[in-house]
Amino acid sequence: KHAAKIRLDDVKGEQSREKDKADRATSEQVLDQRTRMILLQMINRGFVSEVHGAISTGKEANVYGAVAYPDLDGPPIQRAIKVYKTAILSFKDRERYITGEHRFKSGAEKGNSRKMVKLWAEKEFRNLRRIHSAGIKCPEPIQLKLHVLVMELLGDRKGYAYPRLRDAAISGDDSEEVWRSLYIQLLGIMRRMYQVCRLVHADLSEYNILYNNRQLYIIDVSQSVEHDHPRSLEFLRMDIKNTGDFFRREGVDILPDRVVFDFVTV
Ligand code: ADP
Ligand code: MN
């Protein structure tokens, strides 16, 4: 029924798109056997039909483009698959998010990196679901299996992902006005995330926000914490500072951090 096709050359890290050689050289290793089995299982179940090349290769995860054909003759749906890496090193930094997070019941998992990546993927999945349900623009979470998360691709119908806010090409006569309205939009998102989702992003910056057509999309929420996490307000202040700094550099007359903090939390 499904065009069950896995382009293993792509999955191995070959870029399916035209990309320069330097990019290709850095673009990551072969997927391990377990990960490939999970991808094949997802193909068999129809969550995805084809897995393409890497959109992003990071320290803690790789993100791949993928396509699903839910209906025989229907249009393809673009998806993104985030594969968390089992490297222990990348999880050292993350301890501060776990300590005090009641969703990580015990610290017993700390030594087991397979369990750890599974927990991170789970946390991202649940946070995305909460954020998406609250009407905040973010990838819709589709499917989770161990350390592999399938979500909606934020991109065009051809599978090109939207740029990060960092790389957004915003120009023209009204660019000043656009930047200002994006700043206001982000304040609203932070407030809604706090008030409705009861979450603090905790790694919010121009790198974890995607941009298209005057809309901001929130991504990368595996480290986001509940508002009752003992350090949530510290993380919130950091989010406010980082995003404020960015918008200031883009020429926006930003509000003082304190004022934003009160707007978000009160
Ligand atoms: P990390 O920063 O931990 O590597 P992210 O979740 O930030 O992981 O994803 C890395 C990059 O992959 C993002 O900066 C973005 O460019 C791209 N990306 C992630 N999720 C999606 C998605 N759902 N749609 C489109 N692009 C995505
Ligand atoms: Mn990121």
Side-chain angles (χ1 to χ4, degrees), residues 9-11 115 169:
D9 281 350
D10 290 343
V11 175
K115 264 194 183 158

Side-chain angles (χ1 to χ4, degrees), residues 53-105:
I55 294 172
S56 160
T57 58
K59 197 159 50 110
E60 291 159 0
N62 289 347
V63 178
Y64 300 91
V67 174
Y69 298 96
D71 304 311
L72 271 176
D73 302 314
I77 295 182
Q78 303 295 335
R79 299 229 153 124
I81 306 181
K82 187 164 176 177
V83 178
Y84 292 79
K85 295 185 186 177
T86 327
I88 302 160
L89 263 181
S90 40
F91 291 92
K92 284 236 164 100
D93 309 348
R94 296 201 146 207
E95 205 147 310
R96 63 200 177 115
Y97 299 109
I98 305 166
T99 312
E101 169 66 87
H102 62 73
R103 289 179 296 176
F104 284 92
K105 284 170 252 35

